[in-house]
């Protein structure tokens, strides 16, 4: 089974670089980025800073490293604490690096179905009283846009600003895990900079829907980025002739955002089709805003669980999906998924569900 014959909906991280990216990588002008003289990396960083309305940016190998660097930078004081959602990517899927490597205490807030954290829940958890030796000191609040575990839900500019105002009130910093920030900006038809204008730092992934093979960006002030560069080095993220990778990132920022809307349309089409399948539980209008589709298998109607469904689709129909729980599945659209692919997937899903009725 060749990779080219598969319809891969496990994640938008599976995207392969476009022909334009490969050509840009081949032709990239390079230097030594640890010395700060790779011209292509410098160009990418300048573009990212301008795109998000900040002073400077730093190219790093991964989103996990980007988020970790930002947390460590904001929480350099011993005994620091961050507040974030209990369903956030930083909390669940980044190996607890904030605590493991940074000795930063994590305090969680219940994540709402729309990906937000209630302002009152955040405020109740803030601890800034320095003369009480019992508690760590809250330094940072982290948000995620779009929200992965909540099905690609979008945080609006107004909501982000309300959290920013809370941070100002208590003297805290605000970090945005913007792994799929461009999906939010495209769907809202808003400049990305406006979504993060009150954020003190932002991480932006290039290797998800933007389809670069490697890399994320940290965007913030010049002072913050200077410290971030030092942290990148100690974490093993210093890259030499990184312009070969940055060249693909430039194409990600200039050409790929215009394709994200199509990804969202295909996700909606997929969700609408799944909603018509007996035993498949999903509300297309409520559950799908961008390119992430979660659905539940009704165990009272269907006799196979999510893992078995994923196995059947792979073995019999060359379709890859993610099992996110016993009865929960995740599918993510991206530029390599066409409308015809979606229609094929729905046809095979209907067949599998019909054959496995209780």
């Amino acid at each position: 089974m060749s990779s080219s014959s598969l319809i891969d909906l496990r994640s938008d991280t599976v995207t392969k670089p476009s022909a334009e990216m490969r050509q840009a990588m081949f032709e990239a002008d390079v230097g030594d980025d640890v010395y700060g003289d790779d011209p292509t990396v410098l160009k990418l960083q300048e573009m990212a800073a301008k795109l998000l309305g900040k002073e400077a940016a730093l190219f790093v190998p991964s989103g996990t490293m980007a988020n970790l660097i930002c947390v460590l930078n904001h929480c350099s004081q011993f005994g620091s604490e961050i507040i974030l959602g209990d369903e956030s990517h930083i909390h669940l899927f980044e190996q607890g690096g904030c605590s493991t490597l940074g000795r930063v205490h994590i305090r969680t807030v219940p994540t709402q179905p729309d990906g937000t954290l209630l302002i009152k829940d955040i405020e109740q958890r803030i601890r800034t009283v320095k003369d009480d030796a019992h508690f760590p000191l809250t330094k940072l609040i982290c948000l995620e846009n779009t929200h992965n575990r909540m099905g690609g839900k979008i945080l609006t500019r107004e909501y982000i600003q309300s959290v920013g105002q809370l941070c100002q009130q208590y003297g805290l910093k605000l970090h945005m895990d913007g792994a799929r920030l461009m999906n939010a900006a495209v769907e809202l038809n808003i400049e990305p900079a406006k979504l993060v204008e009150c954020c003190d730092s932002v991480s932006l992934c290039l290797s998800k829907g933007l389809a670069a093979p490697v890399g994320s960006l940290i965007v913030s002030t010049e002072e913050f980025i200077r410290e971030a560069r030092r942290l990148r080095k100690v974490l093993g993220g210093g890259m030499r002739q990184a312009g070969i990778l940055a060249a693909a990132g430039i194409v990600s920022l200039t050409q790929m955002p215009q394709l994200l809307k199509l990804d969202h349309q295909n996700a909606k089409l997929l969700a609408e089709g799944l909603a018509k399948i007996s035993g498949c539980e999903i509300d297309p209008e409520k559950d799908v805003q961008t390119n992430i589709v979660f659905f539940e298998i009704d165990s009272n109607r269907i006799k196979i669980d999510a893992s078995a469904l994923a196995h059947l689709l792979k073995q019999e129909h060359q379709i890859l999906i993610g099992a996110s729980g016993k009865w929960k599945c995740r599918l993510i659209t991206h530029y390599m998924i066409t409308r015809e692919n979606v229609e094929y997937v729905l046809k095979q899903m209907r067949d599998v569900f019909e054959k496995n009725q209780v």
Side-chain angles (χ1 to χ4, degrees), residues 199-210:
C199 298
D200 297 286
S201 60
V202 183
S203 64
L204 176 68
C205 186
L206 299 172
S207 62
K208 292 186 170 68
L210 298 181

Side-chain angles (χ1 to χ4, degrees), residues 277-281 295-317 319 321-329 348-358:
I277 298 175
S278 176
C280 184
E281 298 183 346
F295 70 86
E296 298 270 356
I297 299 172
D298 185 347
S299 59
N300 294 316
R301 297 183 183 180
I302 306 299
K303 60 187 178 184
I304 57 171
D305 62 14
S307 295
L309 174 62
H311 179 76
L312 276 173
L313 290 171
K314 178 181 179 180
Q315 295 301 316
E316 297 182 8
H317 305 293
I319 298 168
I321 68 170
S324 298
K326 177 70 172 176
W327 303 101
K328 191 173 186 177
C329 296
Q348 304 310 325
M349 292 274 268
R350 281 192 294 270
D351 182 61
V352 171
F353 271 72
E354 287 173 3
K355 291 179 178 178
N356 288 277
Q357 297 283 325
V358 172

Side-chain angles (χ1 to χ4, degrees), residues 204-254:
L204 176 68
C205 186
L206 299 172
S207 62
K208 292 186 170 68
L210 298 181
V214 176
S216 285
L217 289 150
I218 299 169
V219 187
S220 186
T221 63
E222 290 182 359
E223 180 182 359
F224 188 92
I225 293 302
R226 276 195 297 272
E227 292 302 314
R229 182 178 290 276
R230 288 182 54 80
L231 287 166
R232 182 185 70 173
K233 182 64 175 174
V234 78
L235 292 174
M239 300 178 286
R240 299 296 179 171
Q241 287 69 47
I244 291 175
L245 299 175
I250 290 172
V251 177
S252 291
L253 295 184
T254 56

Side-chain angles (χ1 to χ4, degrees), residues 256-314:
M256 302 310 293
Q258 61 216 46
L259 301 181
L260 295 178
K261 187 67 175 180
L262 181 60
D263 297 343
H264 302 171
Q265 292 169 355
N266 282 334
K268 185 70 77 172
L269 179 67
L270 182 60
E272 289 169 350
L274 289 170
K276 297 175 182 176
I277 298 175
S278 176
C280 184
E281 298 183 346
I282 183 172
D283 183 338
E285 289 305 312
K286 186 179 78 171
D287 297 339
V288 180
Q289 292 183 352
T290 53
N291 68 323
I292 302 179
V293 178
F294 279 104
F295 70 86
E296 298 270 356
I297 299 172
D298 185 347
S299 59
N300 294 316
R301 297 183 183 180
I302 306 299
K303 60 187 178 184
I304 57 171
D305 62 14
S307 295
L309 174 62
H311 179 76
L312 276 173
L313 290 171
K314 178 181 179 180

Side-chain angles (χ1 to χ4, degrees), residues 114 116 143 145 153-162 176 184 188 190 194-195:
D114 63 356
T116 63
L143 300 176
N145 200 14
K153 296 293 174 54
I154 297 169
L155 304 187
T156 65
R157 181 188 185 193
E158 293 73 22
Y159 170 74
I160 298 167
Q161 288 178 330
S162 69
M176 177 61 71
L188 292 173
I190 189 175
K194 291 184 178 179
L195 280 177

Side-chain angles (χ1 to χ4, degrees), residues 27-275:
E27 297 175 353
D29 187 11
V30 300
D32 189 319
D33 185 46
V34 174
Y35 284 116
D37 61 15
D38 187 301
T40 308
V41 172
L42 292 173
K43 181 179 178 181
L44 172 63
Q45 291 172 168
E46 183 180 349
M47 290 174 60
K50 183 177 180 180
L51 179 70
L52 297 185
K54 304 297 183 185
E55 294 177 0
L58 182 68
F59 185 48
V60 299
S62 71
T64 294
M65 183 179 286
N67 286 329
L68 178 59
I69 287 172
C70 290
V71 172
L72 297 184
N73 210 354
H74 287 301
C75 300
S76 57
Q77 180 181 337
F78 184 79
S80 294
E81 174 179 77
I82 64 173
I83 295 175
L84 75 177
D86 61 352
E87 295 286 350
S88 66
H89 196 277
I90 292 175
H91 178 54
L92 293 177
F93 301 116
E94 298 182 12
Q95 211 177 105
C98 303
S99 301
T100 305
L101 300 178
R103 298 186 301 176
V104 176
H105 186 260
I106 291 177
R107 198 168 196 204
T108 60
V109 172
T111 306
Q112 302 304 304
D114 63 356
T116 63
L117 312 177
L118 296 181
I119 298 297
K120 66 178 181 63
D121 287 346
I122 299 174
E123 190 167 21
Q124 287 170 359
R125 286 162 175 79
I126 293 174
R127 300 189 279 199
T128 57
V129 181
K130 294 183 180 180
D131 57 359
D132 192 327
H134 294 88
F135 306 126
L137 296 176
T138 307
K139 295 291 185 180
L140 179 68
I141 295 173
C142 300
L143 300 176
E144 182 178 332
N145 200 14
T146 65
H147 200 290
N148 178 2
R149 289 278 288 179
M150 296 297 106
K153 296 293 174 54
I154 297 169
L155 304 187
T156 65
R157 181 188 185 193
E158 293 73 22
Y159 170 74
I160 298 167
Q161 288 178 330
S162 69
V163 179
Q165 290 168 2
L166 184 69
C167 288
Q168 288 185 346
Q169 180 183 343
Y170 286 93
L172 309 179
K173 299 297 184 181
L174 177 59
H175 171 66
M176 177 61 71
D177 177 358
R180 295 183 176 89
L181 182 71
M182 294 305 295
N183 291 85
V186 166
E187 190 62 27
L188 292 173
N189 193 26
I190 189 175
E191 294 176 12
K194 291 184 178 179
L195 280 177
V196 296
E197 57 193 352
C198 64
C199 298
D200 297 286
S201 60
V202 183
S203 64
L204 176 68
C205 186
L206 299 172
S207 62
K208 292 186 170 68
L210 298 181
V214 176
S216 285
L217 289 150
I218 299 169
V219 187
S220 186
T221 63
E222 290 182 359
E223 180 182 359
F224 188 92
I225 293 302
R226 276 195 297 272
E227 292 302 314
R229 182 178 290 276
R230 288 182 54 80
L231 287 166
R232 182 185 70 173
K233 182 64 175 174
V234 78
L235 292 174
M239 300 178 286
R240 299 296 179 171
Q241 287 69 47
I244 291 175
L245 299 175
I250 290 172
V251 177
S252 291
L253 295 184
T254 56
Q255 296 186 19
M256 302 310 293
Q258 61 216 46
L259 301 181
L260 295 178
K261 187 67 175 180
L262 181 60
D263 297 343
H264 302 171
Q265 292 169 355
N266 282 334
K268 185 70 77 172
L269 179 67
L270 182 60
E272 289 169 350
L274 289 170

